[in-house]
Amino acid sequence: MARNRYDVDEVLETPFDFAHLKRSFVYIKKYKGKMITALVLSVFAAISGLLGPLITQYALDNTIPQKNMGQLVLLTLAFVGTIAVSITFSTIRSRIMTVVGQDIIFDIRTDLFKHLQELPFEYYDNRPHGKILIRVVNYVNSVSDMLSNGIINVILECLNMLFIMIFMFFVNVKLSLVVLSGLPIFAVIMMMIKKRQRKAWQDVSNKSSNLNAYLQENITGARVTQIFTREEENAQIFDRLSEKYRKSWINAVKYSNLVWPATDNVSTLVRAAIFVVGLLVLTPAAVSLGTIVAMTSYASSFWQPIMNLSNIFNNFINNIAYLERIFETLDEPATIADKPNAQDIGDITGEVKFDDVTFSYEQGKTVLEHISFDVKPGESVALVGPTGAGKSTVVSLLSRFYDLDSGKITIDGKDISQATLHSLRSQMGIMLQDSFIFSGTIYDNIRYGRLDATEEEIREAAKIVCADEFISEMKDGYMTEVNERGSKLSGGQKQLISFARTLLSDPKILVLDEATSSIDARTEKLLQQGLQRLLVGRTSFIIAHRLSTIKNCDKIMYIDNKGIAECGTHDQLIAKKGEYYKLYTAQHMDE
């Protein structure tokens, strides 16, 4: 998938083969009972419909010449009956397959969502989110009909062709061969169209993905767009992407629209050939009027399944590009996952050790090199240093959001890479710089990580972080609805709610990454009092640019040049007059 660009087409890492289609049968097998029922109903509907031309032939060749009105009435009722049976069975079959199609959509989309939740941060860091969304929503909708009705219809139309051929040869062998003579011509036409058509629809998929990625990015950044008055420039970019999508769609439809006319023209030629052969080549004694009418009807019926198969093939080619991208997402490795022999880490006390840890986000570009340190249970550790030095990376590695290049991280002497992710992260409270608020109530946002929390526990957590006061002043209090990303809350309010959410989980290890960056000085002072109570007995890692907030930490580590440049208490580092001293003095003078 294109990395961080909305204007770069996606490139499939592996070409499509029929193993992908075979793999999709996993979703079909679950509903094989319903699909077989639908197929049987379709067969009865098809056979019922094929009896009509035989009834017509008999009426033209026998009943009408004999002027047998009673028999003609019976034949008419029988003809109407075959139509009624065909329509009834087809309707029931259609309803069954509609349900099956929706069930398949549900299954594929559920698998995609579950897999996306297991993928590492790196996957989302490197990809436009709009290109991920379109796979879960649009692409799944598109392929579901192919996997449900498409497979059934292929079998059904093949059976229809077989039944029609049996009926045709029963009526007249020579005229049946005339009907079949159009197949080689049709096959040549389809071979000419197939390859170009698939490439054209892959291009449509790319352009649709690009457009969706840019749209999602601009919706998320709408405020920034208006602040910098970028509406006109963004509209021009959107127009360019829309124009590329329009051109790719027209090009793809051009190839798709060649299929139906080709089938229709061959069918028309074949029906004309029946009249030519039947009236001019064969003798009237060999071919009756009823036979010609019946064969013409069967010829239309014979080419109808072929036209239907062409449309199915058309739809199949169109959706192959989408199926490829769905499986590409499902095949994306969940690199941060439980190892085969992973075990529950058990109840932890919070002893942390980094042993010669080296890490890089990109191969060959290390962020941290050979870092080693120990943290005793209950100690508070502050990480300071210049922007981009790797402070947030340290706590991300502790939470195993990324795997190490080399070295080892242990908690209570147990290697975290050998522990199950759930047992590890469920005992860690992590508050990142981005205070993400989900749509819903404030109440639900606070208990997001602990659904069994009582109302009293939720309020207590909010009180500790000084959030209870502003929440209680809202019209609906804790039941106040907040929008996606908490757009109607201030930055400080979002951070306090996130703080309450983290603290409610009662973590053994607490990670605060710039947790108070959006909070005013007065609220921060009150918050610090609550935190001091909470930090007792918990191992904590605190990243803060305001050095006044971490003076009382048991250990301060100055991160720079891919490692720990200095380590000690506040007083020790001040006395050393090194990098921390320079940073603290400069900040203190500014204040």
Side-chain angles (χ1 to χ4, degrees):
M1 190 186 295
R3 301 308 195 249
N4 286 328
R5 292 295 299 271
Y6 58 79
D7 56 349
V8 179
D9 288 348
E10 298 172 291
V11 178
L12 287 171
E13 297 179 5
T14 55
F16 179 82
D17 56 44
F18 279 94
H20 288 83
L21 187 60
K22 183 180 178 181
R23 180 178 170 184
S24 67
F25 289 166
V26 172
Y27 296 102
I28 299 173
K29 287 179 181 178
K30 291 178 62 176
Y31 308 103
K32 62 182 180 181
K34 291 181 179 179
M35 295 179 78
I36 290 173
T37 301
L39 181 61
V40 171
L41 290 172
S42 298
V43 169
F44 282 125
I47 293 175
S48 179
L50 291 173
L51 293 174
L54 283 180
I55 294 173
T56 302
Q57 179 193 20
Y58 187 83
L60 290 172
D61 291 344
N62 298 284
T63 305
I64 293 176
Q66 295 174 8
K67 299 181 180 180
N68 189 336
M69 293 302 298
Q71 191 178 70
L72 185 61
V73 170
L74 291 175
L75 289 176
T76 301
L77 293 175
F79 188 86
V80 172
T82 60
I83 296 174
V85 170
S86 180
I87 292 174
T88 301
F89 285 169
S90 295
T91 301
I92 298 172
R93 175 256 188 189
S94 178
R95 291 182 177 179
I96 292 173
M97 293 313 300
T98 297
V99 174
V100 170
Q102 289 302 309
D103 287 340
I104 290 175
I105 286 178
F106 177 83
D107 292 341
I108 297 177
R109 192 166 285 152
T110 299
D111 286 349
L112 273 171
F113 183 74
K114 287 181 179 178
H115 188 65
L116 285 171
Q117 290 194 108
E118 295 171 355
L119 292 178
F121 286 2
E122 182 184 5
Y123 180 81
Y124 299 97
D125 293 341
N126 293 338
R127 289 159 172 81
H129 294 175
K131 293 191 177 187
I132 300 173
L133 290 173
I134 198 171
R135 298 184 181 211
V136 181
V137 182
N138 301 49
Y139 292 177
V140 173
N141 286 342
S142 296
V143 303
S144 66
D145 189 61
M146 180 186 74
L147 296 181
S148 54
N149 282 309
I151 303 299
I152 284 283
N153 286 337
V154 167
I155 299 172
L156 175 63
E157 299 303 345
C158 289
L159 289 175
N160 274 345
M161 289 175 61
L162 177 62
F163 293 148
I164 292 168
M165 288 174 62
I166 292 172
F167 277 85
M168 282 196 306
F169 278 95
F170 176 76
V171 174
N172 191 283
V173 175
K174 292 181 179 179
L175 292 181
S176 298
L177 295 175
V178 172
V179 175
L180 296 178
S181 65
L183 286 177
I185 301 172
F186 177 74
V188 171
I189 295 172
M190 292 303 297
M191 290 302 294
M192 292 171 61
I193 296 174
K194 175 186 173 184
K195 188 174 182 180
R196 294 178 180 178
Q197 188 181 12
R198 179 180 176 232
K199 285 184 177 180
W201 282 105
Q202 280 183 333
D203 190 50
V204 171
S205 174
N206 285 334
K207 298 303 184 286
S208 174
S209 183
N210 294 347
L211 188 64
N212 193 73
Y214 187 71
L215 182 61
Q216 189 271 341
E217 180 180 287
N218 271 265
I219 291 173
T220 304
R223 292 189 177 187
V224 179
T225 296
Q226 294 183 25
I227 289 171
F228 288 94
T229 63
R230 274 269 305 192
E231 293 89 345
E232 186 174 342
E233 291 85 349
N234 289 359
Q236 290 174 358
I237 295 173
F238 188 80
D239 286 346
R240 287 199 297 271
L241 293 172
S242 296
E243 179 62 18
K244 288 181 179 179
Y245 174 74
R246 186 185 71 84
K247 287 182 178 179
S248 66
W249 175 269
I250 291 174
N251 183 56
V253 169
K254 176 182 68 177
Y255 288 111
S256 296
N257 286 348
L258 290 175
V259 176
W260 180 83
T263 310
D264 189 52
N265 287 333
V266 173
S267 173
T268 301
L269 289 173
V270 166
R271 291 199 302 272
I274 290 174
F275 282 101
V276 171
V277 173
L279 296 176
L280 302 179
V281 177
L282 301 178
T283 62
V287 182
S288 66
L289 175 62
T291 299
I292 293 178
V293 172
M295 286 303 299
T296 303
S297 178
Y298 280 130
S300 298
S301 299
F302 177 76
W303 280 94
Q304 187 60 49
I306 294 178
M307 290 178 68
N308 292 340
L309 284 172
S310 300
N311 291 330
I312 294 170
F313 174 79
N314 211 10
N315 180 264
F316 179 81
I317 291 295
N318 299 353
N319 283 287
I320 284 300
Y322 301 147
L323 191 63
E324 290 170 316
R325 280 158 172 73
I326 288 171
F327 283 130
E328 184 194 43
T329 303
L330 287 172
D331 289 338
E332 188 71 31
T335 54
I336 309 301
D338 291 341
K339 299 289 179 64
N341 58 344
Q343 296 181 351
D344 193 306
I345 199 170
D347 292 333
I348 63 177
T349 61
E351 181 184 1
V352 176
K353 182 177 182 179
F354 275 56
D355 185 7
D356 196 29
V357 169
T358 296
F359 173 75
S360 60
Y361 290 104
E362 298 180 36
Q363 190 172 6
K365 298 180 180 179
T366 55
V367 178
L368 300 173
E369 292 182 354
H370 307 293
I371 282 188
S372 297
F373 63 85
D374 297 303
V375 179
K376 296 177 182 178
E379 277 191 334
S380 57
V381 180
L383 304 176
V384 300
T387 301
K391 303 183 294 297
S392 295
T393 301
V394 171
V395 294
S396 292
L397 294 178
L398 177 61
S399 311
R400 204 182 160 220
F401 291 137
Y402 303 91
D403 276 335
L404 310 178
D405 293 352
S406 63
K408 183 169 65 173
I409 300 174
T410 62
I411 296 179
D412 295 351
K414 300 175 182 177
D415 188 343
I416 64 170
S417 67
Q418 301 303 318
T420 62
L421 291 174
H422 183 268
S423 68
L424 171 66
R425 294 176 184 169
S426 64
Q427 300 185 76
M428 299 184 69
I430 305 166
M431 184 169 172
L432 302 175
Q433 293 176 359
D434 181 16
S435 302
F436 194 94
I437 300 297
F438 296 90
S439 57
T441 64
I442 292 177
Y443 183 90
D444 288 334
N445 266 279
I446 294 176
R447 72 184 191 113
Y448 184 81
R450 190 182 157 199
L451 297 178
D452 61 344
T454 65
E455 185 176 347
E456 290 74 20
E457 289 173 326
I458 292 172
R459 287 182 177 274
E460 181 61 27
K463 288 177 181 178
I464 291 175
V465 302
C466 305
D468 179 70
E469 183 178 350
F470 82 82
I471 295 174
S472 299
E473 290 175 355
M474 292 183 172
K475 181 181 178 182
D476 297 318
Y478 284 80
M479 292 300 151
T480 299
E481 293 282 343
V482 290
N483 297 336
E484 182 182 3
R485 301 187 69 88
S487 59
K488 292 186 178 180
L489 297 171
S490 69
Q493 289 173 332
K494 287 191 288 186
Q495 250 181 337
L496 291 176
I497 290 172
S498 298
F499 230 130
R501 178 169 60 201
T502 301
L503 301 185
L504 184 65
S505 63
D506 192 25
K508 301 295 179 61
I509 297 177
L510 187 62
V511 175
L512 306 178
D513 188 351
E514 288 297 322
T516 60
S517 60
S518 298
I519 299 172
D520 62 82
R522 174 182 170 276
T523 305
E524 183 182 32
K525 192 172 182 179
L526 294 172
L527 178 60
Q528 288 294 336
Q529 296 173 6
L531 285 179
Q532 290 306 316
R533 286 191 294 143
L534 194 75
L535 294 179
V536 175
R538 303 177 197 273
T539 302
S540 57
F541 291 81
I542 303 170
I543 299 174
H545 285 300
R546 292 189 214 168
L547 302 185
S548 59
T549 63
I550 50 93
K551 288 171 58 177
N552 296 325
C553 287
D554 297 312
K555 186 182 295 183
I556 299 173
M557 295 191 297
Y558 188 92
I559 309 295
D560 197 12
N561 295 323
K562 304 180 181 181
I564 302 173
E566 296 176 355
C567 182
T569 64
H570 172 76
D571 292 337
Q572 289 172 340
L573 294 180
I574 290 295
K576 187 177 181 180
K577 293 189 176 182
E579 295 299 323
Y580 176 80
Y581 171 80
K582 295 176 184 177
L583 184 64
Y584 181 82
T585 304
Q587 193 174 108
H588 185 67
M589 290 177 65
D590 289 340
E591 292 174 355

